Amino acid sequence: MGKKAIPTFAWFIPLAPLALALAIYFGEFQSSSFLFINQFTRLLPDTIWAWLTFLGNGWGVFAIAFPLILLAPRLLSAGIFAGIISAIASSSLKVLFDLPRPASVLMEGSFYRIGEPLLHKAFPSGHTLTAFAIASALYFSTNKEKRGPMLFLFFVAILVGLSRSAFGAHWLTDVLGGAGFGLWCGILGAILANGIPEKYLAIKGIWLRFIAVGGICAVYAHLTQIMDHELNLPLQYASIAILLITLTLFIKAQFTPSPSKAD
C-alpha cells in the first residue's frame, strides 16, 4: 500500500479548477471564454474532437481500457470504481445545479456546434468528469515510481474537456467543474482499488469474471448505440474488436491450467 499512497495535497488539487470556474462565472466571463475556445478549436477537424469526446464516454473508455483485465487488473478496477462514482456524481450535480448550456443562452449561429443542440444540465461536463476520474484513478493506483508516464492521461483528459466546448455543448466553467470533481472521483476509485487483496485479482477470480461480463455488456452497447456522434462509429467498431479479442484471451485463460507450486 505504501507504494500506492495518495499524498495529502492531492485532495486539494481539485480546488484549483473549481476556483477558476467560480472566478469565470461570477466575473461574467462565461460567454467570452466559451466563444474563444469554441472558435479556437475549429483549427482542428470535427473528427478529432469527436474522437476525443469518445474518450470521455463511459462505455468508450471502458472498452479501450478493457485489455487491462489481463495486463493490470488493479488499474482497471480503479478505473471502474472511478467511473461508477463519477457517473453518480455527474448525474447528481447536474440535477442539483441544473444550469443552461450555451445553446439555450447564446443566439443561434453565434458559435460552432457539432451535432444536435443540448440545452440543459450543463454543470459539470460529464465527459470531462469521467476523463479526469479515469486519469486520476489510473495514476494513483500505479506505484509511485511508475507514475511519471501516467501524467499523459491528464493531458488527454484536458483535450476531452476542450472537445466539449468544441462541440458547443459546455461552457468552460462546466469543463473546469468536471475536472475538479473528476479528480476527487478518481482518487476515491484508486483508494477502493488499492484496498483489493491481490488474491481477488487472480485471472480466474470471481471479480475479474464479473468485469468480463461487463465487457460483454460493452459490446452490446457499442453495437446498439451511437456514442455521442456518428463520427465515432469507426472508434466504436475498433472498440468492439478490442473487447472481443480481450474476451477471447480471457476465456482461454480460464481453461489454462494454473502453474503448480514447487514442493
Side-chain angles (χ1 to χ4, degrees):
M1 285 296 292
K3 293 183 178 181
K4 295 183 173 65
I6 298 173
T8 302
F9 75 85
W11 291 96
F12 296 94
I13 294 176
L15 296 177
L18 292 173
L20 183 55
L22 286 172
I24 292 173
Y25 185 81
F26 289 105
E28 298 184 356
F29 296 108
Q30 183 86 303
S31 296
S32 59
S33 60
F34 164 75
L35 291 172
F36 173 77
I37 295 174
N38 181 258
Q39 290 302 311
F40 177 77
T41 52
R42 292 192 67 182
L43 294 173
L44 294 177
D46 292 354
T47 301
I48 297 297
W49 297 115
W51 287 11
L52 285 168
T53 279
F54 183 82
L55 297 178
N57 183 293
W59 284 120
V61 71
F62 176 74
I64 293 173
F66 193 61
L68 291 176
I69 194 173
L70 302 172
L71 304 173
R74 189 179 302 279
L75 267 64
L76 180 59
S77 300
I80 291 172
F81 289 142
I84 294 173
I85 296 171
S86 65
I88 296 172
S90 177
S91 299
S92 301
L93 291 168
K94 284 178 180 292
V95 172
L96 176 64
F97 289 99
D98 194 22
L99 294 175
R101 295 184 187 240
S104 65
V105 175
L106 302 178
M107 184 181 301
E108 177 70 24
S110 63
F111 65 96
Y112 187 68
R113 190 183 73 235
I114 302 174
E116 296 298 320
L118 301 174
L119 304 177
H120 308 294
K121 297 181 179 179
F123 185 90
S125 163
H127 287 74
T128 308
L129 199 156
T130 298
F132 272 90
I134 300 301
S136 59
L138 296 183
Y139 179 84
F140 287 113
S141 58
T142 300
N143 290 342
K144 287 183 177 180
E145 64 274 10
K146 298 180 180 179
R147 286 177 180 173
M150 304 295 283
L151 289 172
F152 178 73
L153 296 175
F154 293 103
F155 175 70
V156 174
I158 291 172
L159 293 178
V160 171
L162 289 176
S163 77
R164 301 312 292 151
S165 291
F167 260 64
H170 281 288
W171 310 100
L172 177 57
T173 51
D174 303 333
V175 172
L176 291 169
F181 287 111
L183 288 169
W184 275 325
C185 292
I187 291 173
L188 292 173
I191 290 174
L192 291 174
N194 290 344
I196 299 176
E198 197 66 36
K199 63 180 181 179
Y200 294 117
L201 296 174
I203 193 66
K204 297 182 181 181
I206 187 65
W207 171 238
L208 293 193
R209 290 178 178 178
F210 179 76
I211 294 177
V213 173
I216 297 173
C217 294
V219 171
Y220 177 80
H222 280 79
L223 285 172
T224 58
Q225 302 177 28
I226 294 178
M227 305 295 177
D228 300 305
H229 197 278
E230 291 181 354
L231 290 172
N232 284 332
L233 286 175
L235 283 185
Q236 288 187 226
Y237 299 143
S239 295
I240 292 171
I242 292 172
L243 289 163
L244 291 177
I245 292 172
T246 305
L247 283 169
T248 300
L249 294 174
F250 181 82
I251 293 172
K252 181 180 178 181
Q254 303 306 300
F255 297 97
T256 301
S258 302
S260 57
K261 295 182 180 180
D263 294 334

